[in-house]
């Protein structure tokens, strides 16, 4: 297995392609990055900014590059000893007609070669043998009446047009349109041939179609056909009859909120679930990726959204059989607080959100966090019960946006479990909804019955909470419990459980990450993917224990602090965490800020809760130089609008309250151009930065030297104080970063004091973070075996308060000692005299990799390890 010492996430799109990565490779090599960690590169919808909406899994997206381009990248990376980890998306594809699989299903229905490729319920009571197509802004009847749905002849054959979108007509519709003597005579045999080959292979069918469509579009034929279509388009009844007799059923985009017959990614209509549990589907989907792997263009895989798969454990067993034991594989898996990745998953680990949460808690002051939580619960009492808030947001989301999936779940459960005495459908539906909304994790993994201990524990917790919330439904919950018990038709039971988990997962994601996180604002640095806003801090001992467990169980899992999905930049979180250390000063400032902001509030818009969230967001993302420019105001407004819509209180993505949103945008502009507000806010930010920038460095050091493979999201070698996507996907200024690295490299080792002085003087630019990243990654690369297999050994610091944090990594006589400050506010004196207890076998002679100073630790006294640089990493001399 080629195990990277550090990965670097690249977001490919038409703005950053294979070609644009080429000149960045030498820079990343100098940073000691050993693997590119690439966003999806397979062909996605046109102008996709992220690549997760795949249309064709057998080709590389032309907007990103070519196979030759990838081969050239591989050659350049190989010369520098660098690998490639590829993000793939097995859970879903784009439900668009540029996806040829979708086109084929729409045209041939159940006889399509891909009828069972996607997760479609062809026996749904509302759509028997038809696929729901929720693409209209109105009903199909209104679309016909308003002449928005029209028949047309195109190069792809006869279609139904809706604006610029085209949907294929079934061949069964053609004879009725070809009733003229001319058309009947000229196309009779070809139509017969198409009908006879309707269920043939995709390749054969496509070839027949291509020849047929070519003839249809010959000038004489086209003129005749267009005359017929014009007549049909003016006859509403006939047009409706044609449209109603397709293999799909047009509907409004919002219809899926109440009924649906295919599985979506979350509640996104245009992303359709793939039946990866089907062996043929699995083989087809991974064939091209496997070819790239066999050619050694890829060295590892990142699997997106594994919780959407019907049976993730079985999926990874197939992956191992396909790619072999030497393929480095990690999964995008969000672990709840205290949850562990099931040992039965045969992979290296996760993409590292669990690490993000742990370090976030470590860097948050416990007592200050409690003060802020207490203040917030008084400010927003309706949000004071976090557990209940999570349930309510899940319930609301289930009711409003996943009701179709919920109905389908009731139907499946009723077919699987016989309940005696019978329970009314509406009662059973409510009980299933309460139960699914009560899960504390994204899902359980069920391959057989009885369930394993971990799954049983989670199940018991969910049932207990459900009974507490709705005791009147106890009988229905008992019936639900039977589903998870051994006995009866266990194959049917497991199918039902797995389908239920495919609903619990998006319900949790949307209810928590994308709704609760925008409502609950005690300390928003913890409103983060993988973290828990109700757990604002963690002890040093807890972190040490977690790292020792990580080293024992998942030494190759990823450690991340930022991704394309995080809610804010890692350095924004570091700043916001400082508020817990400065709780008294912060709360006093909030009172003053409210006074300064009051003149700009119109009819209490935004709400107090929203304004408090905005204050914290500004702390996280305020420009380092203190200058507020139009771009920052616009970015803040865009972020705030998205936050309002995600919160779904006064406006939403599906029902925009433009008046409310506009009032908020005006408020932000007034606030960020107000001299009175900025006069209060800017000096406080300068104080925060004194501490936060040090914690940013500590975050890098701990991420790189802890058990796990450190991952750097593009551009995060410098300060990243962005807002949520798409703000966090802005293009990186690599030219600037390369120049900064060159300025660091102009200093030799003898000039280290001068370099440190320059770094201090220019720290506002993020150059200190770049330097730390470079130095600690070089150490990691040089001693990668130590960091992968070596012991993680906690080091006790004897000062009474939680002022610093330390540990050793040790392997075969080589040692690394890491010391980072944790409580900078008010503890400057204590930090100048660190007293720690090294392991008995540890050496006494050390070298600081940042300052190059030599340190002798005798009788546990390390002294002022931060005298010349804010963080310390020592290598045994």
């Amino acid at each position: 297995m080629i195990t990277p010492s550090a990965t670097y996430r690249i977001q490919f799109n038409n703005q950053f392609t294979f070609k644009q990565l080429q000149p960045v490779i030498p820079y990343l090599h100098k940073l000691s990055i050993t693997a590119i960690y690439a966003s999806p590169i397979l062909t996605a919808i046109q102008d996709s900014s992220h690549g997760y909406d795949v249309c064709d899994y057998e080709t590389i997206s032309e907007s990103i590059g070519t196979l030759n381009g990838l081969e050239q990248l591989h050659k350049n990376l190989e010369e520098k000893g660098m690998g490639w980890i590829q993000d793939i998306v097995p859970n879903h594809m784009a439900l668009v007609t540029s996806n040829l699989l979708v086109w084929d299903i729409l045209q041939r229905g159940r006889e399509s070669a891909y009828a069972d490729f996607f997760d479609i319920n062809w026996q749904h009571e509302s759509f028997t043998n038809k696929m729901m197509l929720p693409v209209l802004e109105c009903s199909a009847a209104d679309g016909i009446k308003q002449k928005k749905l029209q028949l047309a002849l195109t190069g792809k054959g006869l279609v139904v047009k809706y604006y610029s979108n085209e949907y294929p007509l079934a061949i069964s519709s053609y004879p009725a349109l070809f009733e003229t003597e001319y058309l009947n005579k000229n196309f009779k045999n070809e139509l017969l041939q198409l009908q006879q080959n309707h269920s043939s292979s995709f390749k054969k069918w496509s070839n027949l179609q291509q020849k047929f469509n070519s003839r249809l579009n010959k000038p004489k034929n086209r003129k005749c056909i267009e005359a017929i279509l014009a007549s049909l388009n003016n006859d509403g009844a006939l047009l409706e009859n044609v449209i109603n007799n397709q293999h799909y059923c047009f509907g409004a985009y919002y219809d899926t909120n109440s009924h649906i017959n295919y599985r979506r990614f979350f509640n996104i209509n245009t992303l359709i679930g793939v039946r990866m549990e089907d062996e043929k589907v699995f083989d087809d989907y991974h064939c091209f990726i496997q070819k790239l792997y066999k050619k050694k263009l890829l060295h590892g895989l990142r699997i997106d959204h594994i919780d959407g798969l019907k049976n993730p454990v079985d999926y990874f067993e197939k992956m191992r059989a396909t790619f072999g034991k030497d393929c480095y594989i990690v999964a995008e898996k969000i672990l709840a607080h205290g949850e562990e990745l099931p040992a039965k998953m045969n992979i290296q680990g996760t993409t590292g959100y669990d690490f993000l949460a742990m370090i976030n808690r470590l860097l948050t002051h416990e007592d200050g966090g409690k003060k802020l939580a207490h203040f917030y619960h008084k400010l927003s009492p309706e949000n004071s019960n976090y557990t209940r808030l999570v349930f309510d947001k899940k319930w609301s989301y289930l009711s409003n946006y996943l009701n179709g999936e919920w109905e389908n779940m009731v139907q499946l459960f009723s077919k699987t479990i016989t309940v005696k005495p019978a329970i009314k459908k509406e009662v059973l539906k409510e009980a299933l909804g309460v139960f699914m909304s009560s899960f504390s994790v994204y899902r359980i993994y069920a391959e057989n019955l009885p369930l394993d201990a971990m799954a049983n524990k989670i199940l018991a917790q969910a049932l207990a909470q459900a009974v507490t919330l709705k005791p009147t439904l106890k009988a229905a919950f008992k019936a639900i419990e039977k589903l998870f018990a051994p006995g009866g038709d266990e194959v049917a039971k497991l199918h039902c459980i797995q389908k239920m988990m495919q609903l619990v997962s998006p319900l949790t994601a949307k209810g928590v990450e994308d709704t609760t996180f925008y409502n609950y604002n005690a300390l928003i640095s913890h409103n983060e993917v993988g973290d828990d806003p109700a757990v604002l801090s963690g002890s040093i001992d807890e972190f040490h224990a977690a790292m020792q467990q990580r080293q024992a169980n998942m030494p190759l899992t990823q450690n991340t602090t930022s991704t394309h999905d995080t809610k804010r930049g890692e350095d924004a979180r570091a700043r916001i965490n400082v508020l817990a250390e400065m709780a008294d000063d912060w709360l006093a400032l909030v009172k003053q800020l409210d006074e300064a902001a009051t003149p700009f509030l119109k009819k209490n818009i935004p709400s107090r809760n929203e304004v408090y969230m905005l204050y914290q967001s500004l702390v996280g993302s305020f420009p380092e130089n203190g200058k507020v420019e139009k771009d920052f105001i616009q970015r803040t407004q865009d972020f705030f609008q998205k936050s309002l819509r995600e919160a779904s209180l006064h406006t939403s993505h599906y029902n925009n309250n433009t008046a409310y949103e506009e009032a908020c945008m005006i408020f932000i502009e007034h606030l960020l151009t107000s001299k009175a507000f900025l006069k209060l806010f800017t000096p406080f930010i300068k104080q925060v930065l004194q501490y936060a920038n040090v914690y940013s460095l500590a975050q890098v050091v701990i991420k790189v030297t802890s058990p796990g493979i450190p991952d750097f999201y593009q551009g995060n070698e410098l300060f990243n104080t962005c807002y949520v996507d798409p703000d966090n996907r802005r293009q990186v200024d690599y030219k600037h970063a390369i120049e900064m690295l060159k300025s660091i490299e102009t200093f030799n080792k003898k000039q280290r004091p001068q370099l440190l002085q320059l770094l201090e003087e220019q720290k506002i630019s993020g150059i200190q973070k770049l330097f730390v990243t470079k130095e600690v990654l070089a150490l990691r690369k040089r001693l990668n075996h130590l960091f992968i297999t070596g012991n993680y050994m906690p080091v006790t610091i004897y000062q009474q308060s939680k002022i610093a944090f330390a540990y050793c990594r040790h392997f075969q006589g080589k040692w690394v000692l890491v010391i980072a400050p944790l409580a900078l506010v008010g503890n400057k004196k204590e930090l100048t005299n660190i007293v720690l207890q090294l392991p008995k076998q540890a050496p006494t002679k050390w070298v600081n990799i940042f300052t190059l100073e030599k340190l002798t630790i005798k009788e546990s006294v390390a002294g002022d390890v931060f005298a010349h640089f804010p963080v310390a990493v020592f290598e045994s001399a």
Side-chain angles (χ1 to χ4, degrees):
M1 180 181 294
I2 298 175
T3 305
S5 66
T7 61
Y8 191 91
R9 173 71 175 200
I10 294 289
Q11 291 296 117
F12 285 114
N13 51 47
N14 58 10
Q15 300 298 308
F16 193 86
T17 67
F18 288 170
K19 185 177 179 180
Q20 273 133 346
L21 176 60
Q22 289 281 14
V24 179
I25 290 173
Y27 162 75
L28 297 179
H29 178 61
K30 287 181 180 179
L31 284 182
S32 295
I33 295 295
T34 60
I36 298 298
Y37 168 26
S39 66
I41 62 172
L42 301 181
T43 300
I45 65 170
Q46 188 174 359
D47 298 327
S48 174
S49 64
H50 47 74
Y52 288 97
D53 36 18
V54 175
C55 290
D56 182 355
Y57 49 78
E58 295 182 326
T59 59
I60 292 172
S61 177
E62 290 182 1
S63 64
I64 292 173
T66 63
L67 181 57
N68 286 339
L70 182 62
E71 289 171 341
Q72 185 59 52
L73 274 174
H74 166 69
K75 182 180 177 182
N76 293 348
L77 290 168
E78 191 175 40
E79 288 172 357
K80 299 186 181 304
M82 297 171 71
W84 187 286
I85 295 170
Q86 184 57 56
D87 191 348
I88 64 171
V89 194
N91 176 69
H92 55 267
M93 290 184 71
L95 179 56
V96 292
T97 52
S98 56
N99 182 340
L100 295 182
L101 281 64
V102 170
W103 181 275
D104 194 57
I105 290 171
L106 297 180
Q107 187 172 53
R108 293 199 282 169
R110 292 302 305 272
E111 292 187 310
S112 164
Y114 296 101
D116 296 322
F117 189 95
F118 298 111
D119 208 343
I120 303 167
N121 179 4
W122 293 101
Q123 301 306 316
H124 192 282
E125 58 185 11
S126 301
F127 308 100
T128 305
N129 289 325
K130 290 196 175 194
M131 181 178 175
M132 182 185 191
L133 200 57
V135 295
L136 310 181
E137 59 195 358
C138 58
S139 68
D142 286 343
I144 293 168
K145 191 181 297 182
Q146 296 166 17
K147 295 196 173 182
K148 291 178 179 178
L149 288 171
Q150 296 275 275
L151 301 180
L153 174 61
T154 73
K156 295 170 74 175
L158 290 170
V159 300
V160 182
K161 289 199 76 170
Y162 179 66
Y163 294 110
S164 61
N165 301 301
E166 300 171 356
Y167 304 93
L169 277 191
I171 294 301
S172 58
S173 297
Y174 280 45
L177 307 182
F178 286 17
E179 287 180 347
T180 66
E181 183 179 348
Y182 169 77
L183 290 176
N184 189 35
K185 179 181 177 182
N186 282 276
F187 290 98
K188 183 177 181 179
N189 291 335
E190 286 175 275
L191 280 172
L192 182 62
Q193 186 182 29
L194 284 170
Q195 289 167 341
Q196 290 172 342
N197 287 277
H198 201 242
S199 57
S200 61
S201 70
F202 178 72
K203 185 176 181 180
K204 183 176 182 180
W205 174 257
S206 297
N207 288 336
L208 289 171
Q209 273 280 289
Q210 193 172 8
K211 292 176 184 177
F212 183 65
N213 292 336
S214 178
R215 281 204 65 211
L216 288 180
N217 279 279
K218 287 185 176 180
K220 188 175 181 181
N221 297 334
R222 186 178 186 91
K223 184 177 179 181
C224 185
I225 292 168
E226 285 180 341
I228 295 170
L229 296 181
S231 176
L232 274 170
N233 285 331
N234 286 316
D235 189 325
L238 284 176
L239 181 60
E240 184 174 18
N241 184 56
V242 172
I243 288 174
N244 286 344
N245 279 289
Q246 300 309 307
H247 294 298
Y248 47 88
C249 184
F250 279 118
Y253 66 88
Y254 47 76
D255 286 347
T256 52
N257 295 338
S258 56
H259 53 273
I260 188 169
N261 77 328
Y262 66 92
R263 180 172 61 85
R264 302 175 284 177
F265 172 69
F266 294 177
N267 67 323
I268 302 173
N269 289 347
T270 54
L271 294 176
I272 184 170
V274 175
R275 294 184 63 253
M276 201 51 66
E277 64 273 17
D278 184 302
E279 194 167 336
K280 186 178 185 305
V281 173
F282 177 94
D283 291 341
D284 284 354
Y285 190 90
H286 293 92
C287 184
F288 180 68
I289 289 293
Q290 188 185 15
K291 287 178 183 176
L292 298 182
Y293 180 72
K294 283 182 176 179
K295 291 177 74 172
K296 298 184 178 179
L297 300 178
L298 315 177
H299 304 97
L301 299 170
R302 182 260 197 196
I303 315 299
D304 182 62
H305 191 53
I306 65 162
D307 282 346
L309 302 174
K310 186 180 179 188
N311 190 340
V313 173
D314 178 65
Y315 171 81
F316 285 119
E317 287 180 1
K318 290 177 182 174
M319 289 295 284
R320 278 297 168 213
T322 302
F323 290 90
K325 62 183 177 62
D326 289 333
C327 183
Y328 179 82
I329 302 177
V330 290
E332 187 214 20
K333 166 63 186 171
I334 297 159
L335 296 166
H337 184 48
E339 184 188 8
E340 297 176 17
L341 187 72
K344 51 195 171 185
M345 286 189 183
N346 188 11
I347 55 177
Q348 273 58 59
T350 74
T351 51
Y353 287 118
D354 47 338
F355 181 84
L356 182 157
M358 287 184 281
I359 197 169
N360 212 22
R361 294 178 196 128
L362 178 70
L363 297 175
T364 303
H365 193 275
E366 183 177 6
D367 292 339
K370 289 177 180 176
K371 279 186 181 179
L372 295 183
H374 178 72
F375 167 80
Y376 178 69
H377 294 159
K378 289 176 68 177
L379 178 144
S380 184
E382 68 275 16
N383 293 327
S384 60
N385 185 335
Y386 181 75
T387 301
R388 181 64 198 226
L389 180 66
V390 167
F391 174 83
D392 289 344
K393 295 307 176 186
K394 286 185 182 180
W395 181 263
S396 174
Y397 209 89
L398 182 65
S399 304
N400 292 318
Y401 304 115
L402 299 177
N403 189 56
E405 286 89 346
W406 188 7
E407 284 281 354
N408 295 344
M409 193 67 247
V410 175
Q411 294 292 331
L412 179 59
F413 182 87
S414 298
K415 290 176 184 177
T416 308
I417 298 294
T418 302
V419 182
K420 294 181 180 180
I423 297 173
K424 290 182 178 179
K425 180 190 171 184
E426 59 269 23
V427 173
L428 179 59
K429 180 179 178 179
E430 183 181 8
L432 279 168
V434 173
F435 171 64
M436 291 189 295
S437 300
S438 295
F439 269 74
S440 60
V441 299
Y442 280 69
R443 65 172 290 167
I444 59 173
Y445 302 94
E447 293 76 54
N448 46 58
L449 294 172
L451 300 174
D452 62 30
M454 183 190 298
N456 269 321
K457 181 181 178 182
I458 294 165
L459 175 64
Q461 290 172 341
L463 283 166
Q465 177 168 313
V467 171
T468 300
L469 290 167
K470 289 284 184 178
T472 57
L473 300 175
K474 207 166 187 177
F477 293 137
K478 282 289 184 185
I480 293 170
E481 197 171 6
K482 289 180 182 178
L483 177 67
F484 298 87
D489 187 345
E490 292 190 357
V491 172
K493 281 184 171 184
L494 284 170
H495 172 71
C496 186
I497 292 169
Q498 290 166 351
K499 296 303 290 182
M500 183 184 291
M501 292 306 109
Q502 286 181 295
L503 178 52
V504 169
S505 172
L507 174 60
T508 301
K510 297 303 292 183
V512 180
E513 290 174 42
D514 293 342
T515 310
T516 304
F517 280 7
Y518 290 95
N519 281 274
Y520 186 85
N521 299 309
L523 188 62
I524 63 171
S525 48
H526 291 269
N527 294 19
E528 191 54 89
V529 184
D531 205 346
D532 185 340
V535 185
L536 295 183
S537 66
S539 71
I540 290 174
D541 289 343
E542 286 172 338
F543 188 88
H544 284 323
M547 290 303 104
Q548 287 176 314
Q549 186 177 24
R550 198 175 185 82
Q551 181 61 39
N553 299 333
M554 289 195 304
L556 302 183
T557 190
Q558 283 190 310
N559 296 345
T560 195
T561 42
S562 283
T563 76
H564 60 286
D565 277 334
T566 42
K567 302 299 182 187
R568 47 190 51 82
E570 61 189 51
D571 303 300
R573 287 198 308 274
R575 289 189 192 182
I576 297 167
N577 282 336
V578 171
L579 299 181
E581 275 188 63
M582 301 176 66
D584 291 334
D585 290 343
W586 167 245
L587 296 180
L589 177 67
V590 167
K591 187 176 180 180
Q592 294 175 295
L593 294 177
D594 281 343
E595 291 174 1
T598 297
F600 309 130
L601 289 169
K602 304 298 180 185
K603 298 180 181 179
N604 294 317
I605 301 174
S607 69
R608 286 199 73 201
N609 187 34
E610 291 161 349
V611 170
Y612 188 57
M613 183 273 286
L614 176 62
Y615 291 162
Q616 293 181 71
S617 299
L618 291 174
V619 168
S621 299
F622 204 75
E624 287 272 344
N625 61 12
K627 296 178 181 178
V628 176
E629 297 176 344
K630 286 184 179 179
D631 176 64
F632 178 68
I633 295 174
Q634 184 63 58
R635 287 174 49 220
T636 303
Q637 289 173 324
D638 292 344
F639 154 74
F640 199 72
Q641 182 187 65
K642 177 170 180 174
S643 300
L644 292 171
R645 291 179 178 180
E646 296 281 20
S648 298
L649 283 178
H650 304 109
T651 184
S652 73
H653 290 292
Y654 311 98
N655 186 17
N656 301 162
N657 183 338
T658 53
Y660 193 93
E661 291 179 6
E662 183 60 28
C664 291
M665 300 306 105
I666 293 170
F667 171 78
I668 289 170
E669 184 167 7
H670 284 323
L671 204 65
L672 291 178
T673 54
S674 164
K675 291 181 180 179
F677 179 83
L678 294 176
K679 189 176 181 181
L680 292 167
F681 195 75
T682 306
F684 182 80
I685 286 292
K686 288 182 179 178
Q687 283 184 281
V688 169
L689 291 181
Q690 292 178 42
Y691 312 117
N693 291 350
V694 175
Y695 293 141
S696 289
L697 306 184
Q699 197 166 228
V700 173
V701 164
I702 296 168
K703 175 172 73 174
V704 174
T705 59
S706 292
I709 306 300
D711 171 50
F712 286 78
Y713 181 66
Q714 58 180 31
N716 277 237
E717 62 273 23
L718 295 169
F719 286 143
N720 177 6
T721 58
C722 67
Y723 294 120
V724 72
D725 67 277
D727 194 57
N728 67 355
R729 298 179 188 178
R730 288 175 296 149
Q731 294 303 308
V732 178
D733 187 351
Y734 282 112
K735 186 177 179 181
H736 174 63
I738 290 168
E739 288 302 315
M740 290 182 77
L741 185 60
K742 283 180 180 177
S743 70
I744 291 172
E745 291 175 328
T746 58
F747 293 84
N748 60 40
K749 288 188 176 182
K750 290 182 180 179
Q751 296 172 310
R752 189 55 59 93
Q754 294 93 320
L755 172 58
L756 297 178
Q757 180 63 34
L758 174 74
L759 299 179
E760 177 63 25
E761 290 170 357
Q762 297 183 7
K763 64 182 179 182
I764 191 173
S765 68
I767 194 170
Q768 275 187 332
K769 188 180 181 187
L770 182 64
F771 168 73
V772 166
T773 301
K774 175 182 180 295
E775 293 300 319
V776 77
L777 281 181
L779 177 73
R780 168 87 198 208
K781 183 177 180 180
R782 184 162 50 83
L783 302 177
N784 198 36
H785 200 57
L786 176 148
F787 288 107
I788 288 174
T789 61
N791 294 329
Y792 176 95
M793 307 174 77
V795 171
T796 301
I797 292 180
Y798 284 114
Q799 279 83 343
Q800 290 183 350
S801 58
K802 177 182 164 183
I803 66 162
F805 167 74
Y807 54 89
C808 284
R809 302 302 308 274
H810 167 237
F811 182 73
Q812 292 183 347
K814 192 66 183 176
W815 291 75
V816 170
L817 169 64
V818 177
I819 309 176
L822 289 184
L824 290 166
V825 180
N827 288 311
K828 188 174 181 180
K829 186 176 179 181
E830 286 83 350
L831 285 165
T832 62
N833 189 30
I834 297 291
V835 179
L836 50 77
Q837 181 62 62
L838 288 176
K840 289 182 180 180
Q841 66 270 42
T844 58
K845 303 290 185 182
W846 303 87
V847 176
N848 187 320
I849 69 167
F850 301 126
T851 67
L852 303 183
E853 295 171 296
K854 295 179 180 178
L855 175 70
T856 300
I857 301 180
K858 292 182 177 178
E859 297 179 355
S860 304
V861 177
D864 191 357
V865 297
F866 307 123
H868 299 111
F869 202 69
V871 292
V873 175
F874 297 92
E875 183 180 358
S876 55

